Amino acid sequence: MSAVDEFKVQDFSFNLNDPYGRLGLAAVGTLLIFWSLDLLPTKKKSAGKQNEENSTYGVKIAGNDNFEVSSFKAVPGENFNTAEIKVKGLVEAEIPSGKSVWLFHVYHGRESLYFPQSQVVFSNDRKSWSGSVLVGKTHSQNSQIMVAVVGDSGKVLCDYYWLVKDEANQYVALRKLSLDIIQCDSRDIRVV
């Protein structure tokens, strides 16, 4: 666009040399970026889709109790004390190909921080699953364990999270999840 100073759309002139023209173009560009990344506020489009998929997959954490942590200990390869929480759950329907089920540690502070853990391990009949979550002492209060169905984009995001951890030797939380990471169930973590 830098080679064009002006363009017309049905008797409407848009001058790129004019500061207001540039501001208008920047505003339109910003809206297009937000729209393409699905960051514009909508009327619960995601919530409706999420509830629809939750009822389809029926992925649940077993039991109704929250998880309790009573001690944190050193784990080889980590530079802080952690607690490992074993998680089990049930699946009411078959997970479609191209999707997987992951566990996340979610910390609710000034903003929500997501720490992908790993894919769950299914039983032979694929009606139950198990996995574990490592929780650091720093982010143990105000946090949850979440199980989610993850699509292709979400898998790339989770893999990238682990690549950053391996390269930087530290956990860098995700601040936003892709739209194909569908939360199915969660339980609070309580430190006792």
PDB file of all heavy atoms in Angstrom, residues 165-180:
ATOM      1  N   LYS A 165       9.919 -24.740  27.705  1.00  0.00           N
ATOM      2  CA  LYS A 165      10.391 -25.222  29.013  1.00  0.00           C
ATOM      3  C   LYS A 165      11.729 -25.927  28.860  1.00  0.00           C
ATOM      4  O   LYS A 165      12.662 -25.704  29.632  1.00  0.00           O
ATOM      5  CB  LYS A 165       9.353 -26.163  29.617  1.00  0.00           C
ATOM      6  CG  LYS A 165       9.528 -26.440  31.108  1.00  0.00           C
ATOM      7  CD  LYS A 165      10.614 -27.423  31.395  1.00  0.00           C
ATOM      8  CE  LYS A 165      10.764 -27.708  32.851  1.00  0.00           C
ATOM      9  NZ  LYS A 165      12.059 -28.301  33.150  1.00  0.00           N
ATOM     10  N   ASP A 166      11.850 -26.766  27.848  1.00  0.00           N
ATOM     11  CA  ASP A 166      13.097 -27.499  27.638  1.00  0.00           C
ATOM     12  C   ASP A 166      14.248 -26.575  27.254  1.00  0.00           C
ATOM     13  O   ASP A 166      15.370 -26.755  27.712  1.00  0.00           O
ATOM     14  CB  ASP A 166      12.916 -28.572  26.564  1.00  0.00           C
ATOM     15  CG  ASP A 166      12.004 -29.693  27.027  1.00  0.00           C
ATOM     16  OD1 ASP A 166      11.773 -29.821  28.250  1.00  0.00           O
ATOM     17  OD2 ASP A 166      11.509 -30.442  26.163  1.00  0.00           O
ATOM     18  N   GLU A 167      13.978 -25.588  26.405  1.00  0.00           N
ATOM     19  CA  GLU A 167      15.026 -24.674  25.941  1.00  0.00           C
ATOM     20  C   GLU A 167      15.427 -23.663  27.021  1.00  0.00           C
ATOM     21  O   GLU A 167      16.607 -23.378  27.207  1.00  0.00           O
ATOM     22  CB  GLU A 167      14.560 -23.911  24.690  1.00  0.00           C
ATOM     23  CG  GLU A 167      14.420 -24.788  23.462  1.00  0.00           C
ATOM     24  CD  GLU A 167      15.752 -25.282  22.936  1.00  0.00           C
ATOM     25  OE1 GLU A 167      16.734 -24.534  22.972  1.00  0.00           O
ATOM     26  OE2 GLU A 167      15.796 -26.446  22.486  1.00  0.00           O
ATOM     27  N   ALA A 168      14.454 -23.095  27.716  1.00  0.00           N
ATOM     28  CA  ALA A 168      14.729 -22.033  28.699  1.00  0.00           C
ATOM     29  C   ALA A 168      14.911 -22.582  30.116  1.00  0.00           C
ATOM     30  O   ALA A 168      15.291 -21.845  31.023  1.00  0.00           O
ATOM     31  CB  ALA A 168      13.606 -21.012  28.691  1.00  0.00           C
ATOM     32  N   ASN A 169      14.585 -23.859  30.313  1.00  0.00           N
ATOM     33  CA  ASN A 169      14.660 -24.502  31.615  1.00  0.00           C
ATOM     34  C   ASN A 169      13.803 -23.775  32.664  1.00  0.00           C
ATOM     35  O   ASN A 169      14.176 -23.649  33.813  1.00  0.00           O
ATOM     36  CB  ASN A 169      16.101 -24.640  32.103  1.00  0.00           C
ATOM     37  CG  ASN A 169      16.213 -25.688  33.189  1.00  0.00           C
ATOM     38  OD1 ASN A 169      15.404 -26.617  33.244  1.00  0.00           O
ATOM     39  ND2 ASN A 169      17.192 -25.549  34.060  1.00  0.00           N
ATOM     40  N   GLN A 170      12.658 -23.273  32.209  1.00  0.00           N
ATOM     41  CA  GLN A 170      11.689 -22.678  33.125  1.00  0.00           C
ATOM     42  C   GLN A 170      10.300 -22.770  32.503  1.00  0.00           C
ATOM     43  O   GLN A 170      10.167 -22.891  31.293  1.00  0.00           O
ATOM     44  CB  GLN A 170      12.028 -21.235  33.452  1.00  0.00           C
ATOM     45  CG  GLN A 170      11.951 -20.283  32.288  1.00  0.00           C
ATOM     46  CD  GLN A 170      12.296 -18.865  32.704  1.00  0.00           C
ATOM     47  OE1 GLN A 170      12.723 -18.619  33.814  1.00  0.00           O
ATOM     48  NE2 GLN A 170      12.114 -17.937  31.806  1.00  0.00           N
ATOM     49  N   TYR A 171       9.292 -22.741  33.358  1.00  0.00           N
ATOM     50  CA  TYR A 171       7.918 -22.812  32.876  1.00  0.00           C
ATOM     51  C   TYR A 171       7.433 -21.408  32.554  1.00  0.00           C
ATOM     52  O   TYR A 171       7.479 -20.524  33.396  1.00  0.00           O
ATOM     53  CB  TYR A 171       7.013 -23.430  33.946  1.00  0.00           C
ATOM     54  CG  TYR A 171       7.354 -24.866  34.242  1.00  0.00           C
ATOM     55  CD1 TYR A 171       8.151 -25.201  35.331  1.00  0.00           C
ATOM     56  CD2 TYR A 171       6.871 -25.884  33.439  1.00  0.00           C
ATOM     57  CE1 TYR A 171       8.465 -26.525  35.602  1.00  0.00           C
ATOM     58  CE2 TYR A 171       7.177 -27.205  33.702  1.00  0.00           C
ATOM     59  CZ  TYR A 171       7.974 -27.524  34.792  1.00  0.00           C
ATOM     60  OH  TYR A 171       8.280 -28.817  35.054  1.00  0.00           O
ATOM     61  N   VAL A 172       6.967 -21.199  31.333  1.00  0.00           N
ATOM     62  CA  VAL A 172       6.394 -19.923  30.922  1.00  0.00           C
ATOM     63  C   VAL A 172       4.921 -20.193  30.627  1.00  0.00           C
ATOM     64  O   VAL A 172       4.587 -20.833  29.630  1.00  0.00           O
ATOM     65  CB  VAL A 172       7.109 -19.335  29.688  1.00  0.00           C
ATOM     66  CG1 VAL A 172       6.472 -18.016  29.286  1.00  0.00           C
ATOM     67  CG2 VAL A 172       8.595 -19.162  29.972  1.00  0.00           C
ATOM     68  N   ALA A 173       4.058 -19.714  31.504  1.00  0.00           N
ATOM     69  CA  ALA A 173       2.635 -20.032  31.429  1.00  0.00           C
ATOM     70  C   ALA A 173       1.988 -19.475  30.167  1.00  0.00           C
ATOM     71  O   ALA A 173       2.407 -18.454  29.627  1.00  0.00           O
ATOM     72  CB  ALA A 173       1.922 -19.471  32.657  1.00  0.00           C
ATOM     73  N   LEU A 174       0.945 -20.168  29.719  1.00  0.00           N
ATOM     74  CA  LEU A 174       0.105 -19.666  28.637  1.00  0.00           C
ATOM     75  C   LEU A 174      -0.921 -18.727  29.244  1.00  0.00           C
ATOM     76  O   LEU A 174      -1.526 -19.033  30.267  1.00  0.00           O
ATOM     77  CB  LEU A 174      -0.606 -20.824  27.932  1.00  0.00           C
ATOM     78  CG  LEU A 174       0.270 -21.938  27.380  1.00  0.00           C
ATOM     79  CD1 LEU A 174      -0.599 -23.062  26.818  1.00  0.00           C
ATOM     80  CD2 LEU A 174       1.209 -21.408  26.318  1.00  0.00           C
ATOM     81  N   ARG A 175      -1.130 -17.582  28.604  1.00  0.00           N
ATOM     82  CA  ARG A 175      -2.098 -16.615  29.115  1.00  0.00           C
ATOM     83  C   ARG A 175      -3.437 -16.690  28.387  1.00  0.00           C
ATOM     84  O   ARG A 175      -4.424 -16.138  28.837  1.00  0.00           O
ATOM     85  CB  ARG A 175      -1.521 -15.210  29.024  1.00  0.00           C
ATOM     86  CG  ARG A 175      -0.456 -14.992  30.076  1.00  0.00           C
ATOM     87  CD  ARG A 175       0.205 -13.636  29.977  1.00  0.00           C
ATOM     88  NE  ARG A 175       0.909 -13.279  31.187  1.00  0.00           N
ATOM     89  CZ  ARG A 175       2.013 -13.843  31.632  1.00  0.00           C
ATOM     90  NH1 ARG A 175       2.539 -14.842  30.980  1.00  0.00           N
ATOM     91  NH2 ARG A 175       2.597 -13.443  32.742  1.00  0.00           N
ATOM     92  N   LYS A 176      -3.466 -17.379  27.275  1.00  0.00           N
ATOM     93  CA  LYS A 176      -4.689 -17.558  26.504  1.00  0.00           C
ATOM     94  C   LYS A 176      -4.607 -18.922  25.831  1.00  0.00           C
ATOM     95  O   LYS A 176      -3.539 -19.341  25.412  1.00  0.00           O
ATOM     96  CB  LYS A 176      -4.821 -16.445  25.466  1.00  0.00           C
ATOM     97  CG  LYS A 176      -6.099 -16.489  24.666  1.00  0.00           C
ATOM     98  CD  LYS A 176      -6.284 -15.221  23.881  1.00  0.00           C
ATOM     99  CE  LYS A 176      -7.453 -15.263  22.939  1.00  0.00           C
ATOM    100  NZ  LYS A 176      -8.724 -15.598  23.453  1.00  0.00           N
ATOM    101  N   LEU A 177      -5.739 -19.592  25.749  1.00  0.00           N
ATOM    102  CA  LEU A 177      -5.790 -20.899  25.093  1.00  0.00           C
ATOM    103  C   LEU A 177      -6.391 -20.757  23.708  1.00  0.00           C
ATOM    104  O   LEU A 177      -7.200 -19.863  23.456  1.00  0.00           O
ATOM    105  CB  LEU A 177      -6.637 -21.871  25.926  1.00  0.00           C
ATOM    106  CG  LEU A 177      -6.128 -22.159  27.339  1.00  0.00           C
ATOM    107  CD1 LEU A 177      -7.103 -23.073  28.063  1.00  0.00           C
ATOM    108  CD2 LEU A 177      -4.738 -22.773  27.313  1.00  0.00           C
ATOM    109  N   SER A 178      -6.014 -21.634  22.802  1.00  0.00           N
ATOM    110  CA  SER A 178      -6.614 -21.633  21.468  1.00  0.00           C
ATOM    111  C   SER A 178      -8.072 -22.083  21.586  1.00  0.00           C
ATOM    112  O   SER A 178      -8.473 -22.718  22.563  1.00  0.00           O
ATOM    113  CB  SER A 178      -5.822 -22.537  20.530  1.00  0.00           C
ATOM    114  OG  SER A 178      -5.851 -23.867  20.995  1.00  0.00           O
ATOM    115  N   LEU A 179      -8.867 -21.752  20.588  1.00  0.00           N
ATOM    116  CA  LEU A 179     -10.298 -22.047  20.625  1.00  0.00           C
ATOM    117  C   LEU A 179     -10.612 -23.535  20.599  1.00  0.00           C
ATOM    118  O   LEU A 179     -11.722 -23.936  20.948  1.00  0.00           O
ATOM    119  CB  LEU A 179     -11.010 -21.345  19.464  1.00  0.00           C
ATOM    120  CG  LEU A 179     -11.033 -19.831  19.554  1.00  0.00           C
ATOM    121  CD1 LEU A 179     -11.678 -19.233  18.320  1.00  0.00           C
ATOM    122  CD2 LEU A 179     -11.758 -19.373  20.803  1.00  0.00           C
ATOM    123  N   ASP A 180      -9.650 -24.357  20.168  1.00  0.00           N
ATOM    124  CA  ASP A 180      -9.918 -25.795  20.131  1.00  0.00           C
ATOM    125  C   ASP A 180      -9.438 -26.520  21.386  1.00  0.00           C
ATOM    126  O   ASP A 180      -9.356 -27.734  21.410  1.00  0.00           O
ATOM    127  CB  ASP A 180      -9.351 -26.428  18.862  1.00  0.00           C
ATOM    128  CG  ASP A 180      -7.835 -26.404  18.806  1.00  0.00           C
ATOM    129  OD1 ASP A 180      -7.213 -25.627  19.555  1.00  0.00           O
ATOM    130  OD2 ASP A 180      -7.267 -27.161  17.996  1.00  0.00           O
TER     131      ASP A 180
END
